Amino acid sequence: MKFANTVRDRILAGLIVALAGLLGASPVAAEQPPNIVFILADDLGSGDLGCYNPDSKTATPAIDELAAEGMLFRDAHSPSSVCSPTRYGVLTGRYAWRSRLKSGVLWGYSRSLIRPERTTVASFLKTQDYATACVGKWHLGFQASHLNAPDLPPANKVIAGDDPHAVDYSKPLTPGPTTVGFDFFFGIPASLDMDPYVFVENDRPLEQPTDTVAASKHRRQYGGGFWRGGPVAPSFRHVDVLPELAKRATAWIDKQTAEQPFFLYLPLSAPHTPWLPTDEFRGRSAAGYYGDFVMQVDAVVGAVIRALEQGGHTENTLIIVTSDNGSHWPVGDIKKWGHAANLHYRGQKADIWEGGHRVPFIAAWPGHIAPGTVSDETICLTDLLATVAAINDVLLPNDAGEDSFSLLPVLLGEKREHPIRDSTVHHSADGTFAIRSGNWKLIPNNLGSGGFTKPRRVKPKPDGPQGQLYNLEKDPSETTNVWAEHPEVVERLSAELAKVRATGRSR
């Protein structure tokens, strides 16, 4: 299974990219726009993948091969260290804290977070005559909320419309995916551990959630896989979700033709809890149920690549594989399994530390991205919108993608004097902010993790550091807080964070 079929193809692809750079021309120009497949795993850590971690206890041959045939990013970040805000950022090119979602995530009965009039990756690509589909975990709410216009913070931290009866699943689930640019949607409302447990196609459930399922304990507590109790469709089984998403995604690809470019957004439900690998993958890794589930995710990526190959699409497809945040893999799991799901980075999913938001990011595009390349450019998942706009040679309006910067020059290997971003803002589960600029990372007003790792919140003392400052070049694992030693850096980054929060783009 290969995205570029032979070694000769890889060499030729690299020569084409190099020649285009020497001539000062973009190899994208004067071609049919590429198909775009964006696969967003759920809670997948960089250390889970062999291409990032030779000591990984999980085998990921499909993703590793994709990295060999494309570009691997070592400094990629999700805009948030939890699910919903990252999904908002991916689709809108906008940090979710600019919306009504100031901390935490949405739920299965939450109201729609994306305003229908806001430009998304899907709605933009539809203006460029793309066929568009979303298959997977939506987690951005359904039906209208009175707070959708305008995007202002609520009076308190409770998000309006999140009560258990806010969304009526017996009525059309709009606004939703089909009102923000997707021609087709199939998937689940939220995380696989959040009720209601139903499959939704376009704007309606396949079955109403008329039954009830009891809660299930986490695998860490020797349970069958964690999920909350609640309403469920009569034929819904949690273990069926990942295979069904793979089936639906590949079936949609099979229907596409060379006459029209297509965009597939594939936000997977795994390896997020519940860890439910099918029998084919049970016991295949050396990292328990979680590792087995990671291997099943890799197999889904492989199935998508095969569908692209069989349809004759690979030569004109940009495929990206990434994750919505770091792995939910605490120190106890690292010690138990000897597996560093987040590599050497501090923390885990939900945290403001690197383990919470530094994610794998692999992009392959035959003839455009040189095979076997590695980038240390600091990028964010919000950059997708500006990237697809640049690929289509269209300038985004000022009110779209405020936090999105085009990755196209990086993907094409163009030489540049400046990084694509002056800074990147990070955000944790509890709303803790951080800002990254160059090698420096500033976390103001909190000495804790801001997430799942204890302590979450540590209030600064008047006579001590008022936050955290790390030099990631010297200290990538964030072991030494140098706030007191570099007041000039604290002042500069504090001002930059205030500017970004107030105005949007800084370049």
Side-chain angles (χ1 to χ4, degrees):
M1 179 187 64
K2 295 182 183 295
F3 199 63
N5 291 321
T6 65
V7 173
R8 183 187 64 185
D9 293 336
R10 296 184 189 182
I11 296 172
L12 181 60
L15 289 174
I16 290 171
V17 173
L19 180 60
L22 288 172
L23 296 175
S26 167
V28 183
E31 295 181 3
Q32 177 176 324
N35 309 310
I36 299 166
V37 175
F38 190 89
I39 302 176
L40 185 71
D42 197 358
D43 294 4
L44 180 71
S46 299
D48 292 324
L49 306 180
C51 52
Y52 282 89
N53 179 13
D55 297 320
S56 173
K57 297 298 180 68
T58 63
T60 53
I63 299 175
D64 295 349
E65 180 68 20
L66 199 67
E69 293 164 355
M71 181 176 287
L72 180 150
F73 286 78
R74 293 191 291 205
D75 200 2
H77 298 265
S78 55
S80 172
S81 55
V82 286
C83 301
S84 297
T86 287
R87 284 159 171 72
Y88 180 91
V90 166
L91 291 179
T92 66
R94 185 173 188 254
Y95 294 130
W97 44 263
R98 299 193 191 279
S99 75
R100 74 179 198 269
L101 185 61
K102 305 303 178 184
S103 63
V105 300
L106 301 184
W107 297 84
Y109 288 95
S110 295
R111 299 292 197 181
S112 180
L113 184 62
I114 300 177
R115 293 164 55 182
E117 67 272 20
R118 183 165 297 285
T119 299
T120 68
V121 175
S123 67
F124 167 79
L125 289 174
K126 277 183 67 67
T127 69
Q128 306 303 305
D129 198 33
Y130 274 69
T132 60
C134 171
V135 177
K137 167 182 163 178
W138 181 236
H139 213 177
L140 287 169
F142 297 116
Q143 298 177 351
S145 167
H146 69 276
L147 283 180
N148 272 357
D151 268 346
L152 296 175
N156 53 51
K157 291 186 178 181
V158 177
I159 296 174
D162 281 2
D163 66 85
H165 305 290
V167 174
D168 186 346
Y169 278 81
S170 68
K171 296 179 180 178
L173 299 172
T174 56
T178 57
T179 51
V180 298
F182 290 104
D183 299 321
F184 174 75
F185 171 72
F186 180 88
I188 57 175
S191 295
L192 192 50
D193 56 14
M194 295 177 176
D195 64 292
Y197 303 110
V198 295
F199 282 118
V200 175
E201 184 166 356
N202 293 323
D203 63 356
R204 296 179 188 273
L206 294 186
E207 293 180 288
Q208 289 295 323
T210 54
D211 287 354
T212 301
V213 65
S216 179
K217 289 184 178 180
H218 200 286
R219 296 290 193 187
R220 293 187 181 107
Q221 284 75 52
Y222 304 100
F226 172 76
W227 61 76
R228 298 164 180 83
V232 62
S235 65
F236 187 94
R237 294 198 319 153
H238 289 75
V239 71
D240 293 336
V241 171
L242 190 57
E244 187 66 18
L245 297 182
K247 175 183 173 183
R248 296 285 183 147
T250 54
W252 188 82
I253 291 172
D254 291 344
K255 295 177 182 178
Q256 306 312 305
T257 68
E259 282 68 42
Q260 183 182 22
F262 60 83
F263 169 54
L264 173 62
Y265 169 54
L266 181 55
L268 300 177
S269 57
H272 190 289
T273 53
W275 298 340
L276 293 172
T278 57
D279 290 343
E280 178 184 357
F281 295 93
R282 286 275 295 271
R284 285 183 54 184
S285 79
Y289 286 101
Y290 172 80
D292 299 345
F293 217 17
V294 168
M295 292 183 65
Q296 188 171 347
V297 167
D298 182 75
V300 172
V301 174
V304 169
I305 293 172
R306 285 193 299 273
L308 292 169
E309 291 173 345
Q310 292 164 5
H313 300 300
T314 56
E315 294 306 309
N316 194 36
T317 297
L318 166 61
I319 181 169
I320 294 170
V321 177
T322 185
S323 179
D324 65 343
N325 44 248
S327 173
H328 187 187
W329 197 249
V331 173
D333 287 339
I334 298 173
K335 292 180 178 179
K336 179 177 181 179
W337 299 104
H339 174 66
N342 294 311
L343 294 175
H344 56 279
Y345 297 110
R346 185 181 185 184
Q348 59 175 319
K349 170 185 177 175
D351 294 351
I352 198 61
W353 297 319
E354 293 292 291
H357 52 77
R358 191 180 288 240
V359 294
F361 191 99
I362 295 155
W365 186 9
H368 299 277
I369 297 175
T373 49
V374 174
S375 174
D376 288 315
E377 186 86 26
T378 305
I379 67 170
C380 184
L381 301 192
T382 56
D383 295 333
L384 180 62
L385 178 55
T387 302
V388 301
I391 287 171
N392 283 272
D393 198 22
V394 175
L395 187 65
L396 287 172
N398 289 332
D399 62 350
E402 298 96 315
D403 305 300
S404 192
F405 297 81
S406 173
L407 302 180
L408 186 59
V410 184
L411 298 175
L412 299 182
E414 296 177 0
K415 292 184 178 180
R416 292 161 294 108
E417 293 183 4
H418 303 287
I420 61 168
R421 291 175 152 271
D422 290 335
S423 62
T424 303
V425 175
H426 309 305
H427 204 234
S428 77
D430 76 348
T432 295
F433 278 93
I435 185 166
R436 166 78 180 280
S437 181
N439 295 323
W440 292 104
K441 177 179 176 182
L442 178 78
I443 307 170
N445 306 319
N446 187 4
L447 297 173
S449 75
F452 291 164
T453 301
K454 294 181 180 179
R456 170 180 283 192
R457 281 272 172 182
V458 177
K459 189 176 180 180
K461 297 179 180 179
D463 58 346
Q466 298 303 293
Q468 303 173 62
L469 179 69
Y470 301 101
N471 185 320
L472 295 181
E473 181 181 36
K474 297 178 180 179
D475 183 21
S477 300
E478 298 170 291
T479 62
T480 305
N481 183 4
V482 293
W483 177 287
E485 289 86 339
H486 297 278
E488 75 289 353
V489 178
V490 171
E491 182 179 5
R492 175 170 60 85
L493 293 189
S494 296
E496 176 69 9
L497 178 57
K499 177 183 175 183
V500 172
R501 292 182 67 178
T503 63
R505 286 191 184 92
S506 59
R507 183 186 288 278

